[in-house]
Amino acid sequence: MKRYPELMELNQKLRHDVLDAISDEDLGHTLGGDTLSLAELLLQQGRWKDDYVQAWSTLELRHGSQSSPEQQTVAGFKLWFGGMEQDIRTTLEAMSDEELSRPVKRDTYSLPLEITACTYRESPIIFAGKASLYLHSLRRPLSAQLKGFVGQGVGRGNLRRNILRGQG
């Protein structure tokens, strides 16, 4: 488990790349219809992350955190996520193998803390997939890591090229 924080940081870099690609003005952007604004998507991700951080102490995963950054700006979100990421790293590095085997109660079942940490680790990948749609609609380029995790994207140009190549 000692290498686990390194793997988690690799996934968390996806969110850093999204935050580096946007401006404060972009935080109000939606995809239309009933979609969340980009700020709301970031809040959702951060609150979910906070739920997991709390679960590693309480051994019970409850969704419903109402935490939020002091300022809903790109800088505020970076600071908020950075603090939680440091808490996660410190917590996981301090845990023994015995502690990692303790069960974390979820809705109707329990999983060992180590497996709960693995399910948490997937969260930045899911977020990156969602956020890439916002970046495309804002006509922002995806970082090399985002492309590697979520693909080239859904822009019409990519779809047309793939259809012409017989891949769509």
Side-chain angles (χ1 to χ4, degrees), residues 12 37 44 47 68 83 85 97 99 104 124 137 147 155 164:
Q12 290 172 341
S37 70
Q44 181 186 65
R47 289 175 176 166
S68 61
E85 288 165 7
D97 289 342
E99 289 173 305
V104 174
S137 70
K147 286 179 186 176
L164 292 174

Side-chain angles (χ1 to χ4, degrees), residues 43-107:
L43 277 170
Q44 181 186 65
Q45 173 68 13
R47 289 175 176 166
W48 198 75
K49 179 186 214 67
D50 189 50
D51 291 335
Y52 270 82
V53 172
Q54 298 306 315
W56 296 334
S57 299
T58 64
L59 300 178
E60 186 169 354
L61 179 62
R62 292 184 178 180
H63 292 291
S65 169
Q66 293 300 309
S67 68
S68 61
E70 287 187 28
Q71 296 180 346
Q72 286 194 21
T73 62
V74 172
F77 279 110
K78 285 181 178 183
L79 189 63
W80 184 48
F81 281 113
M84 284 188 280
E85 288 165 7
Q86 184 57 48
D87 290 346
I88 290 166
R89 182 177 193 81
T90 302
T91 300
L92 291 177
E93 286 179 342
M95 288 187 174
S96 67
D97 289 342
E98 183 179 308
E99 289 173 305
L100 290 169
S101 67
R102 295 179 302 176
V104 174
K105 184 178 183 233
R106 297 171 74 97
D107 295 326

Side-chain angles (χ1 to χ4, degrees), residues 10-164:
L10 177 68
N11 291 2
Q12 290 172 341
K13 186 178 179 317
L14 296 167
R15 186 179 44 260
H16 300 181
D17 289 353
V18 169
L19 287 168
D20 288 344
I22 62 172
S23 67
D24 290 345
E25 293 76 31
D26 298 331
L27 292 171
H29 183 72
T30 71
L31 298 176
D34 197 23
T35 61
L36 299 175
S37 70
L38 190 48
E40 291 168 327
L41 183 67
L42 286 160
L43 277 170
Q44 181 186 65
Q45 173 68 13
R47 289 175 176 166
W48 198 75
K49 179 186 214 67
D50 189 50
D51 291 335
Y52 270 82
V53 172
Q54 298 306 315
W56 296 334
S57 299
T58 64
L59 300 178
E60 186 169 354
L61 179 62
R62 292 184 178 180
H63 292 291
S65 169
Q66 293 300 309
S67 68
S68 61
E70 287 187 28
Q71 296 180 346
Q72 286 194 21
T73 62
V74 172
F77 279 110
K78 285 181 178 183
L79 189 63
W80 184 48
F81 281 113
M84 284 188 280
E85 288 165 7
Q86 184 57 48
D87 290 346
I88 290 166
R89 182 177 193 81
T90 302
T91 300
L92 291 177
E93 286 179 342
M95 288 187 174
S96 67
D97 289 342
E98 183 179 308
E99 289 173 305
L100 290 169
S101 67
R102 295 179 302 176
V104 174
K105 184 178 183 233
R106 297 171 74 97
D107 295 326
T108 59
Y109 60 96
S110 295
L111 290 173
L113 196 148
E114 183 174 20
I115 301 300
T116 300
C118 288
T119 60
Y120 161 78
R121 192 183 74 203
E122 305 305 320
S123 144
I125 298 170
I126 295 166
F127 167 78
K130 293 176 182 180
S132 71
L133 298 173
Y134 288 77
L135 294 179
H136 281 294
S137 70
L138 289 164
R139 300 195 186 286
R140 300 291 162 74
L142 298 182
S143 69
Q145 186 168 344
L146 278 166
K147 286 179 186 176
F149 273 83
V150 300
Q152 294 295 316
V154 296
R156 288 187 180 140
N158 290 329
L159 180 59
R160 286 186 190 123
R161 281 190 297 278
N162 288 342
I163 289 172
L164 292 174

